[in-house]
Each structure stands twice: as structure tokens, then as C-alpha cells.
Amino acid sequence: MPDFKVEIRARLAELRLSPEREAEIVEELSQHLEEEYERSISGGASEELACQQVLEQLNASDLLGRELKRVERHVSQQPVAPGAQSKTNLFGDLTQDVRYALRVLAKNPAFTIIAVIALALGIGANSAIFSVVDAVLLRPLPFKHPEQLVMLWENAAHQGFPKNTPSPANFLDWQKQAQSFTGIAAMAERSFNLTGVGEPERLEGRRVSANLFELLGVPAMLGRTFVPEDDKPGTHVVLLSHSLWQRRFGSDPAVIGRALTLNGESYTVVGVMPRLVQLPGYENVNDQLWVPIAFPLEEATQRGNHFLEVIARMRPGVTLKQAQAEMETIAARLEQQYPDYNMRIGAIVVPLHEQVVGDIKPALLVLLGAVGFVLLIACANVANLLLARAAVRQKEIAVRLALGASQSRLIRQFLTESVLLAIFGAGLGLLLAVLGLRALRTFIPVSISQVEAINVDARVLIFTGLIAVVTGIAFGLAPAIHGSRLNLNDTLKEGGRDSAGGSKGNRARSLLVIGEVAVSFVLLIGAGLLINSFFHIRNLDPGFRVDHLLTMKLDLSEVKYPDRERRAAFFDEVMRRVHELPGVRSAAVAGNLPLTYNGDSMTIGVEGVPDPLPGQRPDVIFRAIGSGYFNTMGIPIVRGRDFIDEDNADSKGVVVISEKTAHHFWPGEDPIGKRLKPGSSTSKSEWREVIGIVKDVRQNDLIAPPKMQMYFTYRQLKDIAANALVLRTTVEPMSLAGSVRNAIWSVDKDQTVAHIDTMDHIVAEAVSRQRFSMVLLGMFAAVALLLASVGIYGVMSYSVAQRTREIGIRMALGARRADVLQMTVWQGLKLVGAGMILGLGAAVLLTRVMAALLYGISATDPITFIGISLVLLAVAILASYVPALRATKVDPITALRAQ
């Protein structure tokens, strides 16, 4: 190929350009002309014709003119010594650097693609997790002055309920006595059967105090919110959510004033709330509508029935500590006034944001740290690549220094290339983040608040841009400084071409690999601990068989089925028809199935046993069920019998208790035939005879130990109704959903059937937060392991290439291929061993922060540490073996001739 640099210099001789500037123009134009020459040759032109066409381009004024417009600058006539600095045009230099960097990256597509993909994985993972952290932890709640909002709970820690739901009477006393708040409002979950508007539907909603939306600072989108006059018994008004308004009423603004039939009663629509209004609470309930709480007199005086969620707004200037102190004073006052109910019952004030975030905060922070580690590994990989490229480009760098380029100028050029790589990686990373968030949503627990706000928005874009710039400088600075510090004499000598593999560069690359291995080891240990913990959780015995169980909610209308006789008649007919369906092995009526509800507990009195002192009476979870429930659920009956249909309102009261209840109240005795009653032994409730003992069931929480439990037959209860149906099937459970629904509608066409689900899925959702952390950290650890293995492979491959002459001499002197293989693999294992030692110390320290996320294992579980060490060693051996195998194939004669 002709040397076009001579022609270019001849045309630039009269322009008085600095040596540095002239060298840059010559370099860029020569590359352009060489590309045009090759394009002409590939198009079929002869060498002479191709050279002539290229020189015609050079002679054209526009090509040289375009280049000069960008970089031309008159300088002093004083000669510039090699390495001397001169004044520069910052914008022009930057433009020149960018253009040159783009050309360099384009000429090395393999290097560019590998670097961009590595950075995209790291930056994309950071952007995706940041979008979750930003929406859940960092973004303020969508209420007016959210920092003033708190939730108030009863503190019954001595009973195992440090944040217990308050009773109505206690709430009303708080409302009257507390001075630290501008307002206090209550909420209570309630389900509604919507009928008369298309297909009957079960809707989740809440009863709320009339001042709740004003307290939160959330006005209605249409109509109005509640007013004090609405908060009275007998007032039937309703607020619709935006989604319900769109879905069931076609976004009709004329819905205001319309009458709806809810639970068999007429309610008037007074307002529609804005989009994405989600009220805070103990659990993140997706409310579809709201009605006034309107306590009836009997409910307003209850202190033993705990079911409310209370939110308050602190007065300006009042601190959380002051509010807590006042609530404790009020709780102490209520304890003195009502010792039977409020003995040792305190109060606790929790910031609303802390309540909403819940226990997901530690997991999100761990994941954010994990993706930061992944990005560090990606940066180390790219820095290794840049160090190798800087070594290859040392002759070019030496020539530029000799022509007057300063060290700072070259560092800026290298940093421009690295920042461009980071920007390209950020662009691809954003695409991966968008796709990753779609997949991530399938793992995000539904109980996490602000899920709808998780997306790639302006805040995420700014974060990604900052990450790109910082990482570009971070991974590019060391290679830039290293590459610009050359001994010109040694580098420019022909014999100095091996200086690229100098000890400093090799040490830097080795240190980067050691760092990658250490960080990967920490991530793998964290992921291994979470995986091990998750399997411990999934292997827990819930107390029942989860397979082949179909469940559904059947909340009966209090208007249509006001008493237990009519409720029993409905369920009897439904059971008869369901049992006739093919594929149904057994079925039973239930109330609040395991892992679907956290309420319903009471104290009990035992015949012949003195009642404990107030405040020392343990709560017992209770459930209303029908006959055949234990058989259908697969709950073993340890002693005694199950309920039968003859256990009804006309027979003596009976109860089935759990093993834990039996051991607590009748230690060392047989409870069968003993009697208990709700409340205390002196209450007016009727005595119930214990007829059976069943295995403990994890009712509220799969991880927490089972609490004491007892079961009543719904046929003997006046005020507590069964609300669920459970079926054990011989086929895939969901395949029977339609048939069961039709059987129910054949009994009552207006009866809503909601939350049709399998027990397998319910149990899986109970550990969704643990699965979320495990899956994501496992994925990030896998990416880290892949990047680390690539880093090991790259360093070993480069080492083999640099040591070709040495390997050739060794083999010429009699070294066997096995010796060369062992030497090369051992070199890689030394790096991995050093990284693992560093990683081991870091893992022991850092995994302690994960202790709250683990179950059944310690943060220093030896099995996990040993297993992960073996996995990392195996990957390291594989990554080192391929370059080592290549080293054994070196021909000594060819290697020595090449040098």
C-alpha cells in the first residue's frame, strides 16, 4: 500500500502547524485515505488506479479543508521540543479526540464489542436495580408532606405482637387525647360483593375514617371525598378507585350519584380517586373502593377486638420522639383505666415511609451492593483489555510523544476512548434494564409498595449517565496513565518491541484479576447463602399437604344470608354439587385459609384452671371450618375426631385444638373431653368441649413458628362466617375452576367467587420476598462468575502470547508439554488463590449484613463456603486450561525465529 503520509505532510508544510497538531492530521487523513484505497481495490480497481483516485480526493480542497476547519490553529514559530506542552483549543481538541477514538474503536470491533457487552451487563444491572430502589426506598410517598405522616400501633410485644392492630375503643381514645397530631384516621379491610352491574365481582376495599383522605392530602379526581357527616352508622356512600371506575364503568363521569349494590345494600357513589392511589397499611392492599368506617355503638366500645390500621399526621415542629412519648403516656393511662384489656399494652409510632418499605429494605440494599460489585468486575475486565491494548499501541504512543504530544494530552485521548466505551455500554445497558425490568416484575413480591412506579424514567436515565461517565474514567484512568508513561528510547528501538509485556503491566493485570476473583467470591457466597436459606424455607412443613388443592373465597352477603342457618343451607347445597364434579376427591368449607390472612385470634378460659392475670393471657388463632376440612387439607388428626354435620346449633359446643394449644393449657394431660370458652372462664360465652387435636399449622407466616390454634365448626357460630372453599383434586386444580364456579352460581347466580388459586401458589407467594432476593443475587453472582472467568482467560491468554519466546526456549531445552501445561495453569491458580483469600475475609465481614435475610443457616455456613470455593476453583482451572493448552502447541523453532 502506498505511504500517503508523505503526500499529506507535503501539503501541510506551509500551514505553520504545531508538530503535535500536524501529527494528528496526518494520522487521521492517512487512515481515511488507506480505507478509501482498500475500498477501491476491493471494488476491482488496479493498484495504480486506486492510488490515483485517492490522491485526487486529497487534492480536492474540501477534504483537507474539513480537517483543517476542525483542528487548524496558528502557533508560534518557536520550535516545539519533543514532549513539550503548548496551548490548546479545548473544544477542538475534544472533538478531535472523539473522532479519533471512534475510528480506533471501529478498527478493533472484537475489542469494542467485548468491552461494551461487559459494561452493558454491569451498567444495565445497576440501572434496573436502581429503578426499584428509587421507587421503593428513595422516592417520597405520593402524599402531602409525607415526612409528617406516621402509623400508630399497639405494642403487645409480650404476646408476640410488637406492632399489633389497635381496637376501635383504643383508637377513639387516641383520637381524643393525642395533641401531637393534626389528625388521626383509622382503616379496616373489608370485601364487597358488587352485583347488579354485569357479572358479580368480589372487590377488595377498606372502611376508612372520613378525615383520612384530607389527612393524606389526596383530593378526589371526580366528585368529593368523605365528610364528617358520612362517618355515621347507616350512611351508605362509596368512593371508587380509578381502575374500578375505568374497568367497570367505562370512565363515565356521570357515575357520581349513581347507586351501587354492595353486599346486598345500596351505596351512592360520591367520588372517584386519582390514578395509583394506594393507601398504606400492614399489608399493601390493592383497594378498589372505600366506604366510611362509621363505627356502630357496639363496635366503638370494643377493646378486645384488634383489627384497625391507624395513620396520623404530626404537627409541624413535633418530633417522632415527642410523639412516641405522648402515645406511651396515653397507653399507660388506658392501662390503668382498662386493665382487663390494656394490661402491658403500649403504643408505637412508626414513620409512614418506614412502614411502607417494610422488611424489603435490607434485601434491596444487598442487591444494590451486589450490582455495584458486578460493575466493578466489568470495569476490571475492561481495564485489563485497555492495558493490553495500551501495550500493543506503545510504538504509536512513543511516536506521538516524540512529535510533541504531552502526557496529559495522551491521557485525555485514552480517557475519551474509555468514556465512549462506557457510553456505548450505558446505551446497551439501558436496553437491557428495560427488558430486565419486565422480567423482574414477575419476581417482585406483590406486597412491595410503589411497584407501579418502577420504570426507567428521567431519574434512572440521569443515574445511568453518571454511572457511564464515572465508570469510563474509573476503568480508563489506570491504563491511560500506564500507557502514557514510556521510555521513548527503549520503545522506539526495534528491540524494544517486547517492552509491551513489561512487569508493571503484567502486575497491574494480575492485580485486576485478583480483585475480580475476590469480588466474585463475595457475590457467590452471598448467593449461595440465600439459595441454601431458601431451600431450608421451602422444606419447612406447613402442617398440611399443598399439592392438588384448589382454593377460592366465598364471602356471603350479610343481607342475603343474615344468619347461620341460611349460610349453612347455602354451603350444604354447594358442597353437594361440588362433590358430584369429576376430578374432585374431597371438598370442605373453610374460613381464612392458611397463609392468606393474619387476623382472628382471641384469649380463652379453661375449665378448672385459674385465668392468667390481665396482660398475660396468650392469644389463640381461631378458624371457622366445616366437616372434612382436615381431611381435605391433609392436616393430620393426632387424637380424637373431626367435626361432623351433626355438630350444629342444636348440639353441644365443640372445638378442635392444635398440639401447641394442648401442650400449653393441658401439659402432660389428655385434653379430649376438657372444656374451654372464648375470653375468660368467667365470660358469658358458652363452654366448648375439646373433641380433637390436630397437627400445628403455619397459619400466618411460613417462616415463623406456629402459634396456638383452635377450630370451630361454622354451623355453631352466630357472628363468624366461613368465607372460603377448598377442594382436593385428582387432576390439575385450576382445570376445575370454571366447573366449580358454575356449580356455585347454579345455587346463587349473584354470589361472587374470588381469589381462585392453588395452595402451591399461595405457599410460593408466602416466600416471594426470599425468592426475589435469591433469584436476583444468584443471577448477579452468575454474571460476576462469567466476567471473572473471562478476565482469567484474558490474562492467561495474554501471558501465553507474551511468553511465547520463553515457552519456546523451555521446550527447546527439553520441557515436556505436561510441564508447560502445569506451569501455565498454576500461574492462573495462584491469581485465583490470592483472590479467594481476599474474598474469604471480605465475605466473612460482608455476609453478616445478610443475617436478617437468612433462615436455618448462619452467615458463615461452612458448607456454602466450601462449595462455592470448589465451584470457583473449577471455573478458574477451566479458564486457565484453554490458554495453557495453546501454550503446549508452541513450535520452539517458529517461536525463536519470530523473536
Side-chain angles (χ1 to χ4, degrees), residues 488-781:
L488 295 184
N489 290 331
D490 290 344
T491 306
L492 290 175
K493 288 178 182 178
E494 187 67 22
R497 61 190 174 194
D498 282 346
S499 63
S503 61
K504 288 185 179 180
N506 290 333
R507 279 199 303 270
R509 285 186 285 275
S510 297
L511 288 174
L512 285 172
V513 168
I514 291 172
E516 287 184 53
V517 172
V519 174
S520 299
F521 188 74
V522 173
L523 280 180
L524 287 167
I525 289 293
L529 289 173
L530 284 182
I531 292 171
N532 200 345
S533 172
F534 184 77
F535 280 111
H536 272 78
I537 294 173
R538 287 312 304 264
N539 289 332
L540 287 174
D541 181 7
F544 55 90
R545 285 177 49 204
V546 302
D547 62 290
H548 289 85
L549 280 179
L550 180 67
T551 69
M552 59 196 68
K553 291 293 291 292
L554 296 175
D555 287 287
L556 303 186
S557 167
E558 296 173 2
V559 175
K560 199 167 188 177
Y561 302 98
D563 52 55
R564 60 188 172 191
E565 288 75 22
R566 273 178 269 199
R567 292 195 293 266
F570 169 81
F571 280 123
D572 285 344
E573 184 59 24
V574 168
M575 284 293 96
R576 185 184 68 80
R577 301 194 184 197
V578 167
H579 276 110
E580 294 175 352
L581 296 175
V584 174
R585 176 175 293 172
S586 63
V589 177
N592 295 320
L593 293 164
L595 306 177
T596 64
Y597 184 67
N598 288 331
D600 288 350
S601 64
M602 63 172 66
T603 59
I604 62 173
V606 176
E607 188 177 33
V609 178
D611 291 327
L613 295 174
Q616 298 179 5
R617 300 171 183 173
D619 272 359
V620 180
I621 296 172
F622 66 90
R623 294 290 184 263
I625 63 172
S627 59
Y629 173 79
F630 299 121
N631 175 59
T632 301
M633 288 290 295
I635 301 174
I637 298 177
V638 179
R639 195 176 306 138
R641 68 172 177 88
D642 192 359
F643 295 118
I644 56 177
D645 291 341
E646 286 70 26
D647 294 322
N648 53 39
D650 298 326
S651 63
K652 66 179 179 181
V654 291
V655 63
V656 173
I657 62 175
S658 66
E659 288 182 292
K660 192 168 187 177
T661 309
H663 293 155
H664 179 85
F665 288 101
W666 295 279
E669 299 181 48
D670 184 1
I672 302 298
K674 301 295 177 68
R675 298 200 303 173
L676 60 81
K677 66 165 58 177
S680 66
S681 60
T682 58
S683 70
K684 296 181 180 180
S685 302
E686 68 171 314
W687 289 102
R688 296 181 179 275
E689 181 181 325
V690 177
I691 62 171
I693 303 172
V694 296
K695 184 177 179 179
D696 292 325
V697 173
R698 297 177 187 268
Q699 294 282 357
N700 298 342
D701 191 331
L702 188 63
I703 299 176
K707 298 182 182 294
M708 290 188 287
Q709 303 155 46
M710 59 184 175
Y711 301 87
F712 304 125
T713 172
Y714 76 93
R715 297 175 185 275
Q716 293 183 340
L717 300 178
K718 290 183 178 180
D719 302 323
I720 303 172
N723 61 5
L725 196 64
V726 58
L727 301 87
R728 184 163 295 280
T729 68
T730 58
V731 295
E732 201 283 317
M734 290 302 293
S735 66
L736 293 177
S739 301
V740 176
R741 188 191 295 112
N742 291 333
I744 295 169
W745 285 343
S746 69
V747 178
D748 183 351
K749 64 180 179 60
D750 293 327
Q751 176 58 48
T752 58
V753 182
H755 302 305
I756 300 177
D757 206 348
T758 65
M759 189 54 71
D760 274 319
H761 183 254
I762 292 173
V763 172
E765 283 300 305
V767 293
S768 58
R769 293 197 174 198
Q770 291 81 5
R771 185 175 63 250
F772 172 73
S773 303
M774 178 204 68
V775 170
L776 288 187
L777 192 57
M779 289 171 55
F780 298 146

Side-chain angles (χ1 to χ4, degrees), residues 347 383 408 768 801 819-820:
S408 61
S768 58
D819 296 330
V820 174

Side-chain angles (χ1 to χ4, degrees), residues 387 390-391 393-394 397-398 401 405-408 410-411 414 477-491 499-500 502 504-505:
L387 280 171
R393 296 171 64 185
Q394 283 192 357
I397 296 167
L401 285 170
S406 64
Q407 184 181 10
S408 61
L410 289 177
I411 290 175
F414 283 127
L477 190 58
I481 294 174
H482 174 77
S484 62
R485 290 179 177 175
L486 298 180
N487 185 316
L488 295 184
N489 290 331
D490 290 344
T491 306
S499 63
K504 288 185 179 180

Side-chain angles (χ1 to χ4, degrees), residues 346-369:
I348 184 168
V349 182
V350 182
L352 182 61
H353 189 270
E354 179 182 324
Q355 180 66 48
V356 168
V357 169
D359 59 0
I360 196 65
K361 182 177 180 178
L364 288 179
L365 293 180
V366 167
L367 291 174
L368 190 61

Side-chain angles (χ1 to χ4, degrees), residues 224 226 230 235-240 255-262 265-271 290-292:
R224 64 171 177 85
F226 299 133
D230 296 329
T235 304
H236 288 176
V237 292
V238 62
L239 286 170
L240 305 181
V255 74
I256 304 299
R258 182 172 173 178
L260 301 182
T261 302
L262 300 172
E265 297 181 299
S266 179
Y267 282 75
T268 301
V269 178
V270 296
W290 302 271
V291 299

